[in-house]
Amino acid sequence: MPEYAAPVRDLEFVLHELLNVETSGIEGYDALEPDLTGAILEEAGKLAGNVLAPLNLVGDTQGCKLENGVVRTPEGFADAYAQMCEGGWSGLDCDPEYGGQGMPYILNTAVGEIFVSANMAFQMYLGLTHGAYSAIHAHGTDDQKATYLPNMVSGQWSGTMNLTEPHCGTDLGLMRTKAEPQGDGTYAITGQKIFISAGEHDLTENIVHLVLAKIPGGPEGIKGVSLFIVPKFLVNDDGSLGNRNSVTCGKIEEKMGIHGNATCVMNYDGATGYLLGAEHKGMRAMFTMMNEARLGVGLQGYAQAEPAYQAALDYAQERLQGRAVTGDENPDGPADPLIVHPDIRRNLMDQKSFIEGARAFTLWGAQMIDRAHRENDDLAEGIISLLTPVLKGFLTDQGFEMTVQAQQVFGGHGYIEETGMSQFARDARIAMIYEGANGVQALDLVGRKLGADGGKPMMAFFEMVKTFIKDHEADTALKADILDPLKAASKELQTSAMFFVQSGVKNPNEALAGSYDFMHLFGHVVLGYMWARMAVVATKALADCTGDPAFYEAKLATARYYMARRLPAVEMHRARILSGASTVMALEAANF
Amino acid sequence: MPEYAAPVRDLEFVLHELLNVETSGIEGYDALEPDLTGAILEEAGKLAGNVLAPLNLVGDTQGCKLENGVVRTPEGFADAYAQMCEGGWSGLDCDPEYGGQGMPYILNTAVGEIFVSANMAFQMYLGLTHGAYSAIHAHGTDDQKATYLPNMVSGQWSGTMNLTEPHCGTDLGLMRTKAEPQGDGTYAITGQKIFISAGEHDLTENIVHLVLAKIPGGPEGIKGVSLFIVPKFLVNDDGSLGNRNSVTCGKIEEKMGIHGNATCVMNYDGATGYLLGAEHKGMRAMFTMMNEARLGVGLQGYAQAEPAYQAALDYAQERLQGRAVTGDENPDGPADPLIVHPDIRRNLMDQKSFIEGARAFTLWGAQMIDRAHRENDDLAEGIISLLTPVLKGFLTDQGFEMTVQAQQVFGGHGYIEETGMSQFARDARIAMIYEGANGVQALDLVGRKLGADGGKPMMAFFEMVKTFIKDHEADTALKADILDPLKAASKELQTSAMFFVQSGVKNPNEALAGSYDFMHLFGHVVLGYMWARMAVVATKALADCTGDPAFYEAKLATARYYMARRLPAVEMHRARILSGASTVMALEAANF
């Protein structure tokens, strides 16, 4: 069973040395002193390593069981959940008015990485609650907030998001679930929702479902969708639990992974629902939190790659097999450790350079979200909205690929479930699908975000990279190994964006046929930018002799690796994009 | 549950229009008239579609069970196995002297694709037997052949290959299983072997294990390994079954996939073994059949992608979600089918262009193997030996990736086991690992095959591509869309090979650090070459009006897609390769 050690040092590096959180001037960030963040990350790491990680394989093996409408979570999950709530982890960045600790979102993101790495299926129970909390917090009436939020912040109640129906996932305009006004301000919700994570379980005494449904007589399609609060148990005026609502779990799905989280078919049979936000504005309410929700899923991508990498690295250091081609490195042993082999190193460096780059990207994104919300910074909002589909799509695709590479280091042992390497890949796979499948992210990026606000956020991103390069290219070593490749990659991105602008006007398929490649090209440029920034920080730290030279030298070496070995993917993506739509759309559907 | 329809038309296209098997002058190929191959492929397709494919999900769900040393295969497997034997499929290309049908290996390969696509875990029982058959046929004494082969050809007995031990997989020199001479010509085999596919099961009355072991006192390491026949039941002189041998299945592994095939820990406790081939020449005996064995695994890569693609295509044609950006294509329905979306088409075209290209590569490879064996053609042997690691490594990596892409078309439904899409990915994953993990294939390619025979096979490959381009570039349409990209890609491959030759002399790590990328670069060039050849055939067929224009037009469109959208990967691989070893090897192992 893989062990997990939280990468506290690297998280601190990103927070304090790369992003300088405590001096970044964002409201509330002054609290993020290294002493505090260090203590919080250490505590989270202990809980993750000692309690959550040991339950990861248990959760995968046992899965959840549905019996007479009751879902039993795997052994140990209830205890672990209680410990999470007791530690206040469920409300770390929640509103103090409802019992939260009011920390910035960025800190919750850093802590979230740790918990997701340790046990993704488990952490989803808390993640879903957080999403529902955010929606009620943003759109609820004072009464609704008072009724639901305190128990959600404390973790006593959990939450869910109900969007998908059997015949519609991406295209929610086809939705059939209906909400009929009952004359008393409530609605009767009837319909079936599928793929509801944490839809039913035994961890909390109540579950607050947020459900999208159509009020009869409203506008057609997506414009007639409203959002409702549908608690499993109705809540009495005094806050105590009342009657069981008419919502039941009809089935839990057998899935490829995240077995520890119950994915439910939820049947609403005239269940009592309370309108959240305005009538017919359900999508807007649901999507207020979209950047955070998608960032959280992008995070799952690299957060699954992290423990898989830790396990692969351990294995590569310990497993003796073959000899280094340049001469024995373990002459007294029967063979050398795997890590002497260049191709094993390539594999490990791919993982390491991805994960650390992705961590920087994600926390930088979280900082932008905080800046947008806490400072009402429209440009930050614009840039993170642009980058969100990249973060979600690119990090989950690559994160999955890296779990597969980590599994490969184990050879045949990686295919056996007891090593846990298969689980990382199987669990990571879902992040490419949910919260908007990655093809939909690419469509969002090219179809909406690229040209949003007259292209201002996109131009601002290019400008940011350009300025950064200009500011640092006096350092010739940095220039050659790091900044020049970044400049070239950024140019490929610009060329591709211009191609879309020019050809997409005539035929939108010209842009959409390259959308997936553009998302990946963009992702590589962002990670290249992150690595260049980290290289600058590391160079300075080494020059200043701030201690821990091995750490900074490893950062520099990994930055160089990313530029030399990962960034060349942009050439491929650019070539594909510029080939346009003709070969993609040539075949008649019937002739496939 | 996915349905499977054997791609008989495409197999016939490759056999008869691309490879012209019946007129290729290889001994025994004159039998491969279209009437015969068509009838055989149709029959195989029926058995695959009606019997094997419906058991695929059953096998995955039920898996194999070990009880009191007996392994029970999933329901229906025994019946299906009996039908396979009855139809003579187990001996299609086996020696008629032992009851086989003596067909060329290429036909067995084409048929094998169909069975693997329908049910990979099931087909492995026959595949392992075939491998053991080949080793005994090549290295056995007349007595050994007479004793074992007839019942293996008929399928009454099955076979296995026992190489791996807990502490050694790739590095078999570390092997501990020992074979002590008993003075009567037999050996007592003692040790533990792991990951033994089909090691124990209820499909046959006897299992013929081929076991690698060391005779005490022999040379150290890999040079002291011998190969033994260790039957589960000893065979009496009259051919009847005698005593149970001291070989038992200690455990079956819980794996990521291929659940229908029992992966066994085999314990040999002084079991009676018979030397196969010469003492200490076990590796040589085991590896006589390496090209075939690895081609068979490369085939599994694209053969899993095929049914996944069929299912994804059906889904994309039927699932209504969203609208085409260029105007409704299903105006009377609630939404358009998924296939109208450019990114879904990109996904499907990736799959289609890979699978058809891989099929051509694999059958071309099988033809070279036949040419090498049946005509003693050393150049064919050299070229297929060079291409074997490419075929195995590239096709299984890409095949797995394509099953993941197919799963993605299904959105959330792809993550649910009952659609079968997860199984394709989980089953395909093993092919990247066994029969030499893909990193080992890359090492074999760059470390041994590239420079083999003074580089003659490599030069012959380049020459073949060059000549082909020269012969056809008068056709300007072909030249621009197809041949020029192939020429450029082939040049990238040459540049990379030259880099290895020049820099690898000074430091072998310079070559090995790029080995994995080289394997993929090479794979793309081979598939590009296959597509160019198919495009030439299709162009001619259209000009000659030989009928079925939609088929040939689809071939041309898919060839153009491959060149425009898949081949650009060579630019990325070349850039990575030319960056050399420095960034790969920079970090001290302790500083990861």
Side-chain angles (χ1 to χ4, degrees), chain B residues 433-589:
Chain B
I433 299 173
Y434 61 21
E435 196 55 42
N438 286 356
V440 176
Q441 301 297 330
L443 177 65
D444 177 49
L445 174 64
V446 170
R448 297 180 54 232
K449 302 297 178 61
L450 190 55
D453 197 9
K456 213 167 114 191
M458 187 74 240
M459 298 317 283
F461 175 81
F462 284 130
E463 197 54 38
M464 195 188 301
V465 173
K466 202 171 133 188
T467 305
F468 171 81
I469 292 171
K470 202 174 283 175
D471 287 350
H472 296 96
E473 60 189 354
D475 182 330
T476 51
L478 273 181
K479 182 173 186 308
D481 294 348
I482 310 278
L483 300 176
D484 285 350
L486 173 61
K487 190 189 275 185
S490 180
K491 204 170 154 234
E492 304 278 26
L493 184 64
Q494 276 178 281
T495 305
S496 300
M498 281 311 295
F499 173 79
F500 287 160
V501 171
Q502 287 163 358
S503 61
V505 176
K506 281 169 277 180
N507 179 359
N509 284 345
E510 292 288 335
L512 297 182
S515 58
Y516 212 88
D517 282 288
F518 188 77
M519 180 171 78
H520 275 254
L521 203 175
F522 207 157
H524 277 294
V525 172
V526 176
L527 255 58
Y529 175 53
M530 290 296 114
W531 272 116
R533 286 178 55 175
M534 290 194 279
V536 166
V537 173
T539 302
K540 188 165 181 322
L542 285 168
D544 295 352
C545 298
T546 46
D548 206 357
F551 177 84
Y552 297 108
E553 274 156 15
K555 276 279 173 235
L556 269 176
T558 311
R560 284 194 203 100
Y561 182 88
Y562 198 86
M563 299 301 171
R565 289 269 169 172
R566 303 301 292 168
L567 212 49
V570 301
E571 298 185 40
M572 170 182 74
H573 294 303
R574 178 258 306 135
R576 287 182 184 165
I577 290 166
L578 299 189
S579 76
S582 61
T583 63
V584 178
M585 306 304 287
L587 265 188
E588 289 294 314

Side-chain angles (χ1 to χ4, degrees), chain A residues 373-439:
Chain A
H373 291 178
R374 291 170 173 248
E375 304 289 327
N376 290 313
D377 184 328
D378 287 347
L379 186 60
E381 173 73 31
I383 296 176
I384 189 58
S385 294
L386 170 70
L387 293 179
T388 291
V390 179
L391 198 159
K392 195 281 183 181
F394 180 70
L395 297 192
T396 57
D397 277 359
Q398 295 263 309
F400 170 70
E401 201 179 312
M402 291 305 139
T403 61
V404 172
Q405 285 195 197
Q407 182 184 25
Q408 191 73 10
V409 173
F410 277 69
H413 298 273
Y415 200 66
I416 305 302
E417 291 291 354
E418 71 187 32
T419 62
M421 301 309 289
S422 158
Q423 186 188 354
F424 292 130
R426 290 186 291 97
D427 286 1
R429 182 69 184 88
I430 189 58
M432 297 158 69
I433 299 173
Y434 62 20
E435 197 54 42
N438 287 356

Side-chain angles (χ1 to χ4, degrees), chain A residues 164-172 174 194-195 251 253-259 263 309 313 317 319-323 325-326 334-335 339-343 345-346 348-349 352 397 400 403-405 407-408 411-418 422 425-430 432-433 437-440 442 507-510 512-517 550 553-554 557-558 560-561 564-566 568-569 571-572 574-577 579-581 583-592, chain B residues 164-172 174 194-195 251 253-259 263 309 313 317 319-323 325-326 334-335 339-343 345-346 348-349 352 397 400 403-405 407-408 411-418 422 425-430 432-433 437-440 442 507-510 512-517 550 553-554 557-558 560-561 564-566 568-569 571-572 574-577 579-581 583-592:
Chain A
T164 306
E165 299 183 7
H167 62 290
C168 68
T170 300
D171 190 353
L172 289 170
L174 304 175
I194 63 169
F195 303 158
K251 182 188 172 190
E253 307 285 357
E254 298 289 337
K255 307 183 300 290
M256 185 178 189
I258 51 167
H259 294 159
T263 302
Y309 167 67
L313 177 60
Q317 307 252 29
R319 174 84 169 177
L320 305 179
Q321 207 80 176
R323 289 292 188 185
V325 70
T326 47
I339 200 168
V340 306
H341 303 296
D343 187 61
R345 269 172 185 273
R346 168 203 60 83
L348 292 170
M349 289 298 295
K352 181 178 170 64
D397 277 359
F400 170 70
T403 61
V404 172
Q405 285 195 197
Q407 182 184 25
Q408 191 73 10
H413 298 273
Y415 200 66
I416 305 302
E417 291 291 354
E418 71 187 32
S422 158
R426 290 186 291 97
D427 286 1
R429 182 69 184 88
I430 189 58
M432 297 158 69
I433 299 173
N438 287 356
V440 176
N507 178 359
N509 284 345
E510 291 289 332
L512 297 182
S515 58
Y516 212 88
D517 282 287
E553 275 157 13
T558 311
R560 285 193 204 100
Y561 182 87
R565 288 271 170 172
R566 303 300 292 168
E571 298 184 40
M572 170 182 74
R574 179 259 305 134
R576 286 182 184 165
I577 289 165
S579 77
T583 63
V584 178
M585 305 304 287
L587 264 189
E588 291 293 315
N591 291 344
F592 266 77
Chain B
T164 305
E165 299 182 6
H167 61 291
C168 69
T170 300
D171 191 353
L172 289 170
L174 304 174
I194 63 169
F195 302 158
K251 181 187 172 192
E253 307 285 358
E254 298 288 336
K255 309 184 298 290
M256 186 178 187
I258 50 166
H259 295 159
T263 303
Y309 166 67
L313 178 59
Q317 308 253 30
R319 173 85 169 176
L320 304 180
Q321 206 81 175
R323 289 294 187 184
V325 69
T326 46
I339 200 168
V340 306
H341 302 296
D343 187 61
R345 268 172 186 271
R346 168 203 60 83
L348 293 170
M349 288 298 296
K352 180 177 171 64
D397 277 359
F400 171 69
T403 61
V404 172
Q405 286 195 194
Q407 183 185 24
Q408 191 74 11
H413 298 274
Y415 200 66
I416 306 301
E417 291 292 355
E418 71 186 32
S422 159
R426 290 186 291 96
D427 286 1
R429 181 70 184 85
I430 189 59
M432 297 158 68
I433 299 173
N438 286 356
V440 176
N507 179 359
N509 284 345
E510 292 288 335
L512 297 182
S515 58
Y516 212 88
D517 282 288
E553 274 156 15
T558 311
R560 284 194 203 100
Y561 182 88
R565 289 269 169 172
R566 303 301 292 168
E571 298 185 40
M572 170 182 74
R574 178 258 306 135
R576 287 182 184 165
I577 290 166
S579 76
T583 63
V584 178
M585 306 304 287
L587 265 188
E588 289 294 314
N591 291 344
F592 265 77

Side-chain angles (χ1 to χ4, degrees), chain B residues 125-267:
Chain B
Y125 290 102
L126 289 103
L128 269 298
T129 305
H130 196 279
Y133 157 87
S134 295
I136 296 174
H137 191 263
H139 301 283
T141 63
D142 286 345
D143 259 10
Q144 287 173 334
K145 291 197 236 185
T147 303
Y148 299 104
L149 295 188
N151 284 323
M152 293 172 80
V153 169
S154 72
Q156 214 169 336
W157 299 354
S158 67
T160 71
M161 296 292 202
N162 291 240
L163 290 79
T164 305
E165 299 182 6
H167 61 291
C168 69
T170 300
D171 191 353
L172 289 170
L174 304 174
M175 189 175 293
R176 289 179 193 149
T177 297
K178 60 174 198 261
E180 288 174 302
Q182 297 301 292
D184 60 353
T186 71
Y187 294 78
I189 313 290
T190 303
Q192 187 176 68
K193 295 288 181 177
I194 63 169
F195 302 158
I196 309 309
S197 299
E200 180 59 53
H201 58 79
D202 55 5
L203 301 179
T204 59
E205 57 189 38
N206 201 6
I207 302 176
V208 181
H209 302 290
L210 296 193
V211 183
L212 287 178
K214 285 185 164 176
I215 301 170
E220 287 283 296
I222 199 73
K223 291 178 178 159
V225 168
S226 307
L227 184 59
F228 299 89
I229 300 174
V230 187
K232 175 177 167 183
F233 288 97
L234 298 174
V235 183
N236 297 324
D237 287 344
D238 64 357
S240 62
L241 294 184
N243 290 336
R244 183 73 166 80
N245 208 346
S246 303
V247 46
T248 51
C249 170
K251 181 187 172 192
I252 55 177
E253 307 285 358
E254 298 288 336
K255 309 184 298 290
M256 186 178 187
I258 50 166
H259 295 159
N261 199 281
T263 303
C264 301
V265 173
M266 298 303 297
N267 295 317

